[in-house]
Amino acid sequence: MRAFIASTIGVTCAAALAVPLVLPLGTGSAVAASAPRTAATTTEASGIQSLPLEPLAPAARSADGGGEVGLPARETEPFSLLGVVWADAAEELHGEAEVRTRALDGEWSGWQPLETHTDHAPDRNTAEAAAGALRGGTAPLWVGASDAVEVRVWPEDGTAPVTGLPEGLSLELIDPDTGVDAAVAVDAAGTSVATADRGATPATGVSGVSGDGAQSAPAAYPGPRPPITTRAGWGADESLRESAFAYTDMVKTVFVHHTAGGNNYSCAEAPAIIRGIYRYHVQSQGWRDVGYNFFVDKCGTIYEGRAGGVDRAVQGAHTAGFNHNSMGVALLGSHGSSAPTKEALNAVSQLSAWKLGLSGINPKSSRNRTSMGGGLYAKGVTVKMANISGHRDGFATECPGEQLYAQLPAIRSTAAGFQGR
């Protein structure tokens, strides 16, 4: 299915027409008086507009005034989340990317940076990666309801021609409400807070995966099960993902992340943000499902992420090299300079206590983990990791941000308390 989606997007984008219109682009600094409106590409069918990037006029940001690609300011169909993707998932974007968007009220944002990384990804030796449809991508950015955009990307060495950028760069604009029931779109956060258990069919041919991922809590230190908003609760379109599930043996490590998508959201918008990330991971990047196992918003609501059963050891795509026997939980927002809320920290602690408790694991302890490669450590390297670690402990990244990473000792202690230790 991923290959079909990718090819459909590619064919549709190739056939897209840029229709020149003279249209006002609203208020904001340095706004062009007119700009083209980009014809819809795949909006009706998939909720995604995929716009190939093109060379831009020479810019002072580049060392020699060249090497920049992007899109001039233009109107689009409505979207709320965006990211930049490229053809080869194994290739890094050695450069910088910035976007600005126009809200529906006509106000333009300032330039916002996109986190250029490939550290949230399926492990390279898995069937998910071997399918051949994966694309590299920046972290998705939530911008709220918008109808115009401008983007610029330039290589870190400022070369011209653009030798420092990967091939096949395109801007993905995502409408998370496409195909979603109106009631779910409006009030998903208040529905289907349940167990999220389901019968599951293990994926076949997945390297490093065995059994059905079932875990049963030992008598000692099980940890209480927190309320979890199911995929149905946040409005997941289950036709997008692969139907089978991939499991590992047990959850030995919890990796804490932030989505790096900005903090300017309301908790009522959290389900839409998750739907947008889901579409971005599956349709834009070619993953089997959303990468994280769980999400937590700033109000402390926990959301089911990758499908397969919240009480099972579902293999995610969140910490390259260590997706096996682990769980990835992502706080919605950016926590480099902004501290996470007490509600979010408490939710992460309770979720970690429960998931690690199912495997009889102490949140305050550590263990040796062997890398599958593709991250901070080469394949086969064994490293001692805390049972609740940050993304940066397994990959060369700033994630989960300084402010959240500094809270990991407190999260471990609180999680141990939830287990009665």
Side-chain angles (χ1 to χ4, degrees), residues 1 19 46 52 68 81 91 93-94 104 132 181 194 217 221 237 275 278 289 291 334 343 353 355 368 375:
M1 178 180 68
V19 181
S46 68
E68 184 169 309
L81 181 139
E91 189 173 0
L93 196 165
H94 296 292
L104 299 184
D181 180 82
Y221 312 120
D237 181 349
R275 290 195 301 271
Y278 174 43
D289 195 350
S334 301
E343 293 82 1
K355 288 294 289 186
N368 289 333

Side-chain angles (χ1 to χ4, degrees), residues 21-368:
L21 296 174
V22 178
L23 295 170
L25 286 184
T27 60
S29 60
V31 177
S34 63
R37 178 183 178 88
T38 301
T41 54
T42 59
T43 303
E44 294 300 323
S46 68
I48 296 180
Q49 301 167 75
S50 186
L51 309 176
L53 303 190
E54 56 196 35
L56 296 177
R61 283 176 300 280
S62 299
D64 59 0
E68 184 169 309
V69 300
L71 292 172
R74 64 183 62 199
E75 292 197 339
T76 67
E77 297 300 319
F79 65 95
S80 297
L81 181 139
L82 57 78
V84 171
V85 300
W86 53 90
D88 187 353
E91 189 173 0
E92 298 280 347
L93 196 165
H94 296 292
E96 297 185 56
E98 292 182 336
V99 297
R100 66 189 193 109
T101 56
R102 189 184 68 181
L104 299 184
D105 64 4
E107 185 72 20
W108 278 88
S109 72
W111 285 102
Q112 301 182 77
L114 294 177
E115 184 175 317
T116 58
H117 67 75
T118 57
D119 47 348
H120 303 77
D123 286 331
R124 294 178 182 177
N125 66 326
T126 61
E128 185 170 3
L134 302 188
R135 303 179 74 191
T138 67
L141 178 67
W142 177 260
V143 296
S146 305
D147 60 5
V149 67
E150 184 175 6
V151 59
R152 58 195 186 194
V153 181
W154 64 95
E156 59 189 11
D157 60 0
T159 55
V162 189
T163 58
L165 297 177
E167 295 182 357
L169 286 164
S170 68
L171 176 67
E172 305 288 289
L173 305 177
I174 297 177
D175 176 9
D177 291 338
T178 298
V180 178
D181 180 82
V184 173
V186 171
D187 194 31
T191 63
S192 299
V193 180
T195 63
D197 291 330
R198 57 173 61 82
T201 302
T204 58
V206 179
S207 175
V209 174
S210 61
D212 62 0
Q215 297 175 276
S216 58
Y221 312 120
R225 179 175 182 149
I228 300 171
T229 298
T230 66
R231 290 170 63 91
W234 54 260
D237 181 349
E238 301 296 356
S239 69
L240 301 180
R241 65 171 176 83
E242 289 190 358
S243 58
F245 308 117
Y247 297 105
T248 56
D249 296 323
M250 60 191 295
V251 174
K252 298 179 180 179
T253 310
V254 172
F255 286 105
V256 179
H257 304 254
H258 67 169
T259 58
N263 302 313
N264 189 26
Y265 71 92
S266 69
C267 292
E269 292 177 308
I273 296 174
I274 297 170
R275 290 195 301 271
I277 295 173
Y278 174 43
R279 285 187 179 273
Y280 184 72
H281 284 176
V282 175
Q283 295 179 279
S284 297
Q285 294 193 268
W287 300 2
R288 66 182 303 131
D289 195 350
V290 69
Y292 304 109
N293 298 102
F294 296 92
F295 294 90
V296 174
D297 69 21
K298 58 188 175 184
C299 291
T301 301
I302 302 171
Y303 301 86
E304 178 186 16
R306 181 164 285 210
V310 296
D311 61 345
R312 301 191 181 192
V314 178
Q315 179 165 338
H318 49 80
T319 308
F322 295 97
N323 287 316
H324 60 292
N325 292 339
S326 69
M327 178 195 93
V329 53
L331 272 68
L332 297 179
S334 301
H335 296 296
S337 58
S338 298
T341 65
K342 293 180 180 179
E343 293 82 1
L345 294 174
N346 189 69
V348 171
S349 300
Q350 189 173 359
L351 176 64
S352 300
W354 174 59
K355 288 294 289 186
L356 291 174
L358 293 175
S359 304
I361 292 176
N362 187 339
K364 296 177 70 175
S365 298
S366 58
R367 66 176 53 239
N368 289 333

